[in-house]
Amino acid sequence: MAFDLKLTACLLLAVFSLAAAADCECQPSDEGHDAAKSRTLKVIAIFCILVGSSAGCAIPSLGRRFPALRPDTSLFFALKAFAAGVILATAFVHILPVSFDKLGSPCLVDGPWRKYPFTGLVAMLAAVATLLLDTIATGYFLQRAQDSRGAAAAVAACGGDASSSHDHERGHAHGVSSAVIASATMPNDAADDCDDAEDRAKLVRHRVISQVFELGIIVHSIIIGISLGASESPSTIRPLVAALTFHQFFEGIGLGGCIVQARFHLKSAVTMAIFFSLTTPVGVMIGIGISSAYNENSPTALIVEGILDAAAAGILNYMALVDLLAEDFMNPRVRKSGRLQLIISISLLVGIALMSLLEEPD
């Protein structure tokens, strides 16, 4: 299901980019263009981004060999907070302003685009849609777990108190109630009672988070990849290589941390990591393919990219604040340790500061 959604998103973005290439009312300037040098830089960008994404996604999985990187350690919490800070700054500082610029461009002479702040509207609706998807997906998978063998015995063993306690502890779990406890269904007896039930519920939650999070990342990654691949200006591409490699590396750490906490089977975890790592390079290759006809100032390109950037910003804001930061800050271990709270807060602010100061030119 999640893979189909990701594949559909990629195909739609590719179709939109080809449609944008055909519409050329606002002609771009050829000043500073160098096709040969740009092509070399794009190849370097594909390699650097692929390596950075893969390395970032792989780091959290090293917890099996290095105990300091396990999900219950202070270093793991700090890395996730830093990655969440990078994602927040990407959404607020880099993506939203670009969307405002595109949907407010002088090239959009017709239609309501310059008369209404569509960027804010689309970002808000995208965040709400992510909330609904998050809630529906969590409920669906929990219901499936409840329907499996042993559900009735597990619910009877745990009773109703564990559910209310769990919801109180993690109030942002979006309406997860007694079905959460029912998700502790295992092929064995109901003798594992409430602790195992809550563990199973958290596992389902982490799996939903990781899949929705990756879906949100894909939208922005494809768009920025197409923009880089379609550019023929070395002065624009060169700083983007460093900025995107940094950005993808820490987004990979955030996603990799979610995958580790979700405890996917090896095949599923590797598939998600590969899909994430290839998203931006594929976007760059699409951009290279359409660069001869692509006009970033055409109305179609401006509208499509502006809307998708705004949607990506809304999704990433929701995921960073609700499913990454709130998830960790509400963790009982973090709440009981002022020192760990300080470490996570500093790590978050450093991630925000570094990504905010990193120049990512249009």
Side-chain angles (χ1 to χ4, degrees):
M1 175 184 174
F3 179 78
D4 291 341
L5 287 173
K6 297 167 190 171
L7 186 59
T8 302
C10 292
L11 291 175
L12 287 174
L13 289 167
V15 171
F16 287 149
S17 67
L18 291 173
D23 196 348
C24 301
E25 292 184 19
C26 253
Q27 294 299 328
S29 171
D30 290 336
E31 183 180 356
H33 285 194
D34 186 333
K37 186 178 289 186
S38 295
R39 192 175 300 110
T40 301
L41 289 172
K42 291 171 191 178
V43 173
I44 294 172
I46 291 174
F47 176 76
C48 291
I49 293 171
L50 182 60
V51 171
S53 301
S54 303
C57 222
I59 284 176
S61 65
L62 296 177
R64 296 177 182 178
R65 290 181 176 269
F66 303 98
L69 291 174
R70 289 176 182 168
D72 57 347
T73 63
S74 299
L75 179 59
F76 187 87
F77 281 113
L79 281 175
K80 275 190 68 181
F82 185 93
V86 169
I87 293 167
L88 271 180
T90 298
F92 279 111
V93 179
H94 293 290
I95 306 180
L96 274 180
V98 169
S99 179
F100 274 112
D101 289 342
K102 289 183 183 297
L103 295 182
S105 171
C107 294
L108 297 178
V109 292
D110 298 322
W113 303 105
R114 298 177 63 191
K115 301 175 184 177
Y116 187 85
F118 281 98
T119 292
L121 176 65
V122 172
M124 177 184 67
L125 293 178
V128 172
T130 307
L131 166 66
L132 296 176
L133 178 62
D134 213 357
T135 305
I136 293 170
T138 301
Y140 170 76
F141 287 113
L142 290 174
Q143 186 62 45
R144 284 186 59 182
Q146 183 181 22
D147 292 340
S148 64
R149 194 174 70 177
V155 173
C158 294
D161 295 335
S163 174
S164 59
S165 172
H166 178 67
D167 285 350
H168 176 73
E169 182 178 308
R170 294 179 61 226
H172 64 283
H174 319 306
V176 178
S177 58
S178 59
V180 173
I181 300 303
S183 71
T185 58
M186 300 287 289
N188 54 6
D189 298 326
D192 297 296
D193 60 17
C194 302
D195 289 338
D196 185 55
E198 287 201 16
D199 183 65
R200 293 288 296 172
K202 289 178 182 178
L203 184 62
V204 170
R205 182 82 191 112
H206 284 306
R207 291 185 174 181
V208 172
I209 287 172
S210 61
Q211 293 179 354
V212 176
F213 184 31
E214 183 167 21
L215 188 63
I217 291 173
I218 284 173
V219 178
H220 171 59
S221 296
I222 285 282
I223 284 294
I224 195 65
I226 291 174
S227 299
L228 188 153
S231 176
E232 297 290 354
S233 172
S235 61
T236 297
I237 298 173
R238 194 175 291 111
L240 270 178
V241 175
L244 289 179
T245 301
F246 177 87
H247 166 251
Q248 291 295 111
F249 176 75
F250 284 103
E251 267 195 353
I253 289 179
L255 178 62
C258 292
I259 292 174
V260 168
Q261 289 180 306
R263 285 181 276 170
F264 284 109
H265 294 301
L266 180 61
K267 182 179 178 181
S268 299
V270 171
T271 300
M272 292 182 68
I274 291 175
F275 201 93
F276 165 74
S277 302
L278 290 177
T279 302
T280 303
V282 167
V284 174
M285 288 187 282
I286 293 173
I288 292 173
I290 65 173
S291 59
S292 60
Y294 182 81
N295 176 13
E296 63 181 5
N297 293 320
S298 71
T300 302
L302 290 169
I303 292 171
V304 171
E305 291 184 18
I307 289 176
L308 290 176
D309 277 337
I315 294 170
L316 292 179
N317 285 339
Y318 173 88
M319 297 305 298
L321 290 172
V322 177
D323 286 336
L324 292 182
L325 292 175
E327 182 81 16
D328 285 348
F329 274 96
M330 296 302 293
N331 186 292
R333 181 166 178 265
V334 175
R335 286 185 299 177
K336 295 175 182 177
S337 173
R339 176 175 172 273
L340 187 53
Q341 289 179 22
L342 180 62
I343 291 173
I344 293 177
S345 299
I346 292 174
S347 183
L348 169 65
L349 294 175
V350 170
I352 290 174
L354 287 179
M355 195 61 201
S356 298
L357 296 175
L358 191 65
E359 184 180 4
E360 191 171 318
D362 297 339

